[in-house]
Amino acid sequence: MAKNSEEEEVGFGVIAIAGTVIVGLGYLIGSGAGVVVDELVIPPSNDDRPGQEVALQQYDAMFNRLAEQRTELDSRRAELSSVAGISNTPQLLAETVGLSAEEEEIYSTADRTRNELQQMEQSLSELSKRFAKSAIIDARLNEQNVRDLFNRFENEVGSFQAKTGLRKPDFADLDLSRAAVAGENFSSEAEKALAIKKHSRQINGDVATSLGGKIGGGLGGGFFLLLLLMDYREERRKRKPKGLKH
């Protein structure tokens, strides 16, 4: 009996691991994460390119600019927070009981700070867009360079999508997409960058998404298999005679 119980436990472990893998694959493919799958299969290029060293120095300078604006913005936010108590007084109350000269000055300061914050946030956003679009079209950068720069942006500045308003390109297809749009006429470099980014995400992303639609549901069934296995194991434990270790 002990041996059989041990075998059942081992069998459960193997099936549980298999089920977990199935769930993971089902989620990855079934959710349409084509870009992620593509980069796992085809890693981004990492070759040396003419002008690459100078380009990376220029992007370092851009990060210095971004850091300056981010620091100033954080400082202004702290300023506004320090006067939030008075500045958040409801207007109906302020008009009824009135405000002291000091409170009026705080109101005025808070309003100015809010306006400055909006302008500074817009400025940081515009600078972030310039950074992102420049890197996308910059042929001096290989695909790994661009991915590293975007990851650095996330670490030092903030959410890439929130700050730039853009989704990241498929880095593994960035070179191919640059070449694909090379012969097209664009009104600006910004428009070209958007075309490259869009093209890179469509090359293989749609293929993986279509594949996920066909098999994702079946793989996702592994989740329910795990639930059943866990329930089965718990029932076995409840029924096991006391004093047995197997």
Side-chain angles (χ1 to χ4, degrees), residues 139-150:
R140 299 174 300 172
L141 301 176
N142 61 43
E143 295 168 337
Q144 185 63 46
N145 290 151
V146 180
R147 182 161 72 173
D148 289 344
L149 288 172
F150 285 8

Side-chain angles (χ1 to χ4, degrees), residues 57-73 120 123-128 130-131 152-153 156-157:
Q57 292 173 355
Q58 291 173 328
Y59 285 100
D60 275 337
M62 172 65 89
F63 270 109
N64 291 336
R65 293 281 301 277
L66 287 165
E68 289 173 3
Q69 290 201 12
R70 171 68 189 274
T71 299
E72 191 175 354
L73 183 60
M120 292 170 67
S123 177
L124 180 58
S125 176
E126 289 300 322
L127 189 62
S128 298
R130 281 177 173 268
F131 156 77
R152 180 179 173 184
F153 182 93
E156 297 182 12
V157 183

Side-chain angles (χ1 to χ4, degrees), residues 190-220:
E191 184 182 351
K192 181 180 180 180
L194 294 178
I196 292 172
K197 186 264 301 180
K198 181 179 180 180
H199 186 276
S200 74
R201 294 186 64 89
Q202 289 180 338
I203 292 177
N204 295 313
D206 290 345
V207 173
T209 300
S210 176
L211 178 64
K214 294 177 180 178
I215 66 177
L219 293 176

Side-chain angles (χ1 to χ4, degrees), residues 31-36 39 128-129 131-133 135-136 146 150-151 153-154 159-171 174 190 193-202 205-206 209:
S31 63
V35 170
V36 176
E39 287 188 30
S128 298
K129 290 176 182 177
F131 156 77
K133 292 173 181 177
I136 289 173
V146 180
F150 285 8
N151 287 339
F153 182 93
E154 296 249 327
S159 166
F160 180 85
Q161 188 165 345
K163 289 290 188 296
T164 66
L166 304 172
R167 297 178 68 187
K168 293 179 183 179
D170 179 348
F171 300 107
L174 198 51
L194 294 178
I196 292 172
K197 186 264 301 180
K198 181 179 180 180
H199 186 276
S200 74
R201 294 186 64 89
Q202 289 180 338
D206 290 345
T209 300

